[in-house]
Amino acid sequence: YRRTAILTASPEKLIVLLYEGAIRHLERIRIGLSAPAQRYSEQVGLSFNKAIGIVAELRTSLDAEKGKEVAQNLDALYGFCLDQLSDANAKREPEPIENALTIMRTLKEGWDAVIPN
């Protein structure tokens, strides 16, 4: 089902799907880092990799020419999220993940408001 949704989605809907994936993996990281027994688990590591990959993809998909100031602002937000992921990974603490989650949720809400379901 997910594969079909991705293959048939508009570019705008793909962005929303990327946000959903980033949020899902950030939540898994936050939960895993909050549990001492899971901090260094394979699942947390995989979620770090996936979240970093998704945010990096969102960042590289920006069109600075068309997007101008909006693209610059998004680039800064994505850069901040990547920094927070790196910090959380190094310290194995969930607090930086909360910062990234707040940004990703806010951006997704913006897209949800303008993209029809």
Side-chain angles (χ1 to χ4, degrees):
Y1 171 77
R2 187 178 298 176
R3 179 176 164 79
T4 302
I6 292 169
L7 292 174
T8 60
S10 67
E12 296 83 6
K13 183 62 177 173
L14 286 175
I15 299 295
V16 171
L17 292 172
L18 286 170
Y19 283 128
E20 289 172 354
I23 292 166
R24 183 173 55 254
H25 289 290
L26 288 167
E27 278 292 343
R28 288 179 185 165
I29 295 166
R30 186 186 60 76
I31 291 167
L33 293 180
S34 297
Q38 294 181 10
R39 274 194 190 125
Y40 296 97
S41 71
E42 181 180 359
Q43 181 61 39
V44 171
L46 290 172
S47 286
F48 264 113
N49 287 339
K50 290 188 181 214
I52 289 167
I54 292 169
V55 175
E57 180 62 30
L58 286 165
R59 192 177 197 190
T60 58
S61 70
L62 294 171
D63 187 338
E65 270 187 43
K66 289 182 184 176
K68 302 191 191 300
E69 188 177 344
V70 172
Q72 289 175 349
N73 292 338
L74 286 171
D75 182 66
L77 289 170
Y78 296 148
F80 177 77
C81 287
L82 291 170
D83 289 344
Q84 293 300 291
L85 278 158
S86 178
D87 191 37
N89 193 22
K91 294 178 181 176
R92 288 301 190 192
E93 295 177 355
E95 290 81 15
I97 297 302
E98 292 289 344
N99 298 330
L101 268 168
T102 299
I103 290 169
M104 287 291 137
R105 286 181 179 139
T106 301
L107 292 172
K108 183 186 176 298
E109 286 173 11
W111 278 92
D112 286 343
V114 296
I115 303 300
N117 293 330

